[in-house]
Amino acid sequence: MFKRLLNYRQSLTRYESALAYAVLGIAAGLLSGSVVILFEHAIDRAALFWGVQGRADDFEALPSGFRFALPVAGALVLGVVFSLLREEHRDSGIAHVISRLYGRYGALPWQNALAQFGGGVIALATGQSGGREGPGVHLGSAVTSLVGQRLSLPNNSLRILIACGSAGGIAAAFNTPLAGVIFAMEVIVSEYSVAGFVPVMLAAVTAAAKSKQFGGGVEIFELGEFTLASLSELPLILGLGVACGITGALFVRITSSTAMLGTWPVVLRFALAGLLTGTIGLWIPETLGLGYDTLEDALFGRTVWSALLLVAGAKLLTAAFSLGVGMPVGVIGPSLLIGACIGSTAGALAMLVFPSLTIDPGMYVTIGMAATMGTTLGAPFAASLAVIELTQSTSVAMPALLAITAAHLTNLTGFKQLSAHRMILRQRKQRVPDDPLNQLLHRTDVSSVFDGSVVVISNRVTPAVGSSLALQVPHWCLVRRENEDLFLVSGTELMDFIGVRASNDEPRTSLNNDEADGIDITESALRRWSIAIAPEQATLSQALDLLRSKMAEAICIYSTESGKRVVRGVLTREIIERFTLKRIDD
């Protein structure tokens, strides 16, 4: 069994191992789908405790005083719980996943996942303004990453596991596997590759199937086919896109501005968010919770557009503020509701402008949802596919693409902003590299590049050791003294030294049997390479970071066998540069 696991780990070091990664994708889909379903049911059961029906969404039925007290009390409880956590364990959501993917090479900690699960249940069950899809992405990514860490899988496979978990989280929440795949590749790993798509697609399909089996996901998104009545509607669609872009940009601006309160005590920050949500919830109860019941009303024309615009403004303010102060809630749900409200207004306007046409307001609502989601997430491609998948219609693609593109450009060029989670990371001064070179370094395992010609020698080289090395001269010799790794020397240079040794005061002599105690290399003039240590699971990006942070000249790659560390190879900056140049040239 152990040997099979070892072989499987080895196959995962090759990014192109399609079958190995396919197995990984299916397992990740099962795990992420299960944890998201469990999270959703936990929210529903907790909300039922104080009488909130409709899958934790019918806060409008609560008495007015309770609509104020519940989110305030929930925010205070959440603030107290989070104040007991270490600061680094409070991070959650999509921003946390991306941060750990690049900053910690895909190692998501269980403490943050536990805080996300428990905190998300408390927050959403008590009516805080936010979504459960962002937490679902975090939980799906975390459970897959933790299993990968437990099995000591290579860090480059953790990257794929996180993408699979993210796709599974979205697919399980919305029953939209295709949108989940594109979301993971576009937002989380920022990369499109054939090798990466296969396991992520399998994860999304598996998670969606799991969700359907246990009644998870959002049922109201099973929409009918929409069609564009006339090309004359396109200017209105374009205007809808610009309006959604402005709204999404405002959401991002409020979120990033509120994130500057990160130095305030967490209890105070959460209390302010709960107070704001509770106060607005007194007058606009649709602000509380997920808001999918209001979204359903907008889709089927049950609420007038003026009331929906009021809901959109309230949801925008409360959700953006809650997300900015660090509450464990998501951005996807609120962005869909806000976009639906704006789309409903555009649909009403279209019927006034074109009374002779058979206008379908639901199409405008759906396009508004996708355009606003695409803006806040910085995911226009995922939003485009979400529209097609939700409506089961390709005829809506053309107007939807126009609106989504207009919205994205409005935020990007008009307001000079990125997505909400990227702006939060920028606020924290956390860089997210997504250029092709960095993508290559993050997805390449060290074992596929390192120089495996290395032996460990004592700092004193005896004639017997010299004779042994002479049989097959290694490229590198790791010098060790009393179980402490000192430095690396070139094997060729070492052989030259022990074969013809010289000093300033003595003539040139050779290592012979009279020197039975050997030569102390630490007292020689040999070129010494300073070293840092990395596990065999490391990626090239991790190796380069170690070279910089430790100011080392080479990396010694270790594996653990029977509880003992074994040197497997050596990496230098030159080896990495040769590899990247070759791949770029290819």
Side-chain angles (χ1 to χ4, degrees), residues 58-390:
D58 191 19
F59 288 91
E60 296 90 337
L62 296 176
S64 58
F66 204 37
R67 291 202 303 268
F68 172 79
L70 184 59
V72 173
L76 285 172
V77 169
L78 198 59
V80 170
V81 171
F82 269 53
S83 67
L84 300 176
L85 302 176
R86 296 173 62 176
E87 186 174 355
E88 63 268 25
H89 294 154
R90 298 172 189 164
D91 283 345
S92 61
I94 296 173
H96 170 70
V97 173
I98 296 175
S99 173
R100 297 291 298 197
L101 177 65
Y102 291 100
R104 293 295 184 272
Y105 319 107
L108 296 179
W110 65 267
Q111 295 94 332
N112 294 73
L114 189 60
Q116 174 69 90
F117 191 100
V121 169
I122 295 172
L124 296 173
T126 56
Q128 309 304 325
S129 187
R132 61 189 177 194
E133 299 77 23
V137 169
H138 179 183
L139 293 171
S141 300
V143 70
T144 52
S145 173
L146 287 167
V147 170
Q149 293 173 62
R150 179 66 178 173
L151 296 176
S152 299
L153 299 184
N155 286 352
N156 67 325
S157 66
L158 292 186
R159 171 187 173 83
I160 295 297
L161 272 173
I162 286 178
C164 291
S166 301
I170 293 294
F174 287 132
N175 292 316
T176 53
L178 184 56
V181 171
I182 301 304
F183 170 84
M185 305 304 285
E186 188 175 24
V187 176
I188 304 299
V189 297
S190 302
E191 177 191 11
Y192 295 100
S193 66
V194 175
F197 265 117
V198 171
V200 176
M201 287 190 293
L202 287 171
V205 170
T206 305
K210 188 81 173 177
S211 179
K212 284 183 178 293
Q213 180 185 4
F214 291 95
V218 183
E219 296 177 0
I220 63 169
F221 285 167
E222 295 179 1
L223 308 175
E225 182 175 346
F226 295 133
T227 57
L228 192 67
S230 169
L231 293 179
S232 303
E233 295 180 72
L234 289 181
L236 275 177
I237 297 290
L238 180 63
L240 171 59
V242 173
C244 290
I246 293 172
T247 305
L250 183 58
F251 189 104
V252 173
R253 182 64 58 84
I254 294 173
T255 299
S256 58
S257 299
T258 310
M260 292 190 292
L261 304 179
T263 56
W264 292 18
V266 65
V267 175
L268 178 59
R269 283 185 279 133
F270 284 13
L272 287 174
L275 188 62
L276 176 65
T277 302
T279 302
I280 294 179
L282 273 173
W283 309 103
I284 310 174
E286 294 84 359
T287 305
L288 304 179
L290 304 172
Y292 285 140
D293 52 351
T294 307
L295 178 55
E296 184 178 6
D297 291 341
L299 279 168
F300 298 104
R302 299 172 190 157
T303 306
V304 297
W305 63 268
S306 55
L308 289 174
L309 278 185
L310 196 62
V311 172
K315 196 70 175 178
L316 186 151
L317 180 60
T318 54
F321 190 91
S322 297
L323 188 69
V325 298
M327 272 200 169
V329 295
V331 64
I332 299 177
S335 68
L336 290 174
L337 175 57
I338 294 166
C341 294
I342 298 172
S344 177
T345 303
L349 181 60
M351 287 190 291
L352 289 175
V353 174
F354 304 108
S356 60
L357 297 178
T358 306
I359 301 293
D360 195 335
M363 182 185 72
Y364 286 81
V365 172
T366 308
I367 292 174
M369 290 162 51
T372 308
M373 183 188 82
T375 302
T376 54
L377 287 178
F381 194 13
S384 303
L385 290 174
V387 171
I388 297 172
E389 209 165 8
L390 291 172

Side-chain angles (χ1 to χ4, degrees), residues 245-533:
I246 293 172
T247 305
L250 183 58
F251 189 104
V252 173
R253 182 64 58 84
I254 294 173
T255 299
S256 58
S257 299
T258 310
M260 292 190 292
L261 304 179
T263 56
W264 292 18
V266 65
V267 175
L268 178 59
R269 283 185 279 133
F270 284 13
L272 287 174
L275 188 62
L276 176 65
T277 302
T279 302
I280 294 179
L282 273 173
W283 309 103
I284 310 174
E286 294 84 359
T287 305
L288 304 179
L290 304 172
Y292 285 140
D293 52 351
T294 307
L295 178 55
E296 184 178 6
D297 291 341
L299 279 168
F300 298 104
R302 299 172 190 157
T303 306
V304 297
W305 63 268
S306 55
L308 289 174
L309 278 185
L310 196 62
V311 172
K315 196 70 175 178
L316 186 151
L317 180 60
T318 54
F321 190 91
S322 297
L323 188 69
V325 298
M327 272 200 169
V329 295
V331 64
I332 299 177
S335 68
L336 290 174
L337 175 57
I338 294 166
C341 294
I342 298 172
S344 177
T345 303
L349 181 60
M351 287 190 291
L352 289 175
V353 174
F354 304 108
S356 60
L357 297 178
T358 306
I359 301 293
D360 195 335
M363 182 185 72
Y364 286 81
V365 172
T366 308
I367 292 174
M369 290 162 51
T372 308
M373 183 188 82
T375 302
T376 54
L377 287 178
F381 194 13
S384 303
L385 290 174
V387 171
I388 297 172
E389 209 165 8
L390 291 172
T391 61
Q392 300 294 305
S393 169
T394 56
S395 58
V396 76
M398 188 262 286
L401 285 171
L402 177 63
I404 292 167
T405 303
H408 184 69
L409 289 176
T410 298
N411 179 53
L412 194 61
T413 61
F415 292 86
K416 312 295 182 185
Q417 293 184 148
L418 302 173
S419 61
H421 49 272
R422 292 292 178 111
M423 293 298 289
I424 290 175
L425 291 173
R426 177 179 287 185
Q427 190 81 27
R428 299 174 183 171
K429 302 187 184 313
Q430 293 178 324
R431 181 172 170 268
V432 180
D434 52 11
D435 57 278
L437 178 58
N438 271 292
Q439 295 290 352
L440 174 63
L441 294 173
H442 276 281
R443 69 170 180 257
T444 305
D445 185 80
V446 292
S447 63
S448 60
V449 180
F450 66 55
D451 185 348
S453 179
V454 56
V455 297
V456 179
I457 62 173
S458 171
N459 63 298
R460 301 195 70 89
V461 180
T462 63
V465 172
S467 300
S468 176
L469 292 175
L471 295 176
Q472 186 173 357
V473 180
H475 293 165
W476 299 97
C477 294
L478 176 60
V479 181
R480 182 175 290 173
R481 179 174 57 195
E482 296 179 356
N483 294 323
E484 179 186 1
D485 295 338
L486 300 177
F487 50 81
L488 283 169
V489 295
S490 164
T492 303
E493 292 179 6
L494 176 62
M495 293 307 297
D496 291 341
F497 172 74
I498 63 178
V500 187
R501 185 166 58 92
S503 70
N504 294 332
D505 301 322
E506 299 175 352
R508 299 164 71 88
T509 60
S510 297
L511 181 63
N512 53 53
N513 292 326
D514 294 333
E515 296 173 306
D517 292 338
I519 303 169
D520 191 346
I521 302 177
T522 60
E523 298 176 359
S524 71
L526 277 172
R527 162 81 161 92
R528 307 178 188 184
W529 294 67
S530 57
I531 60 172
I533 294 173

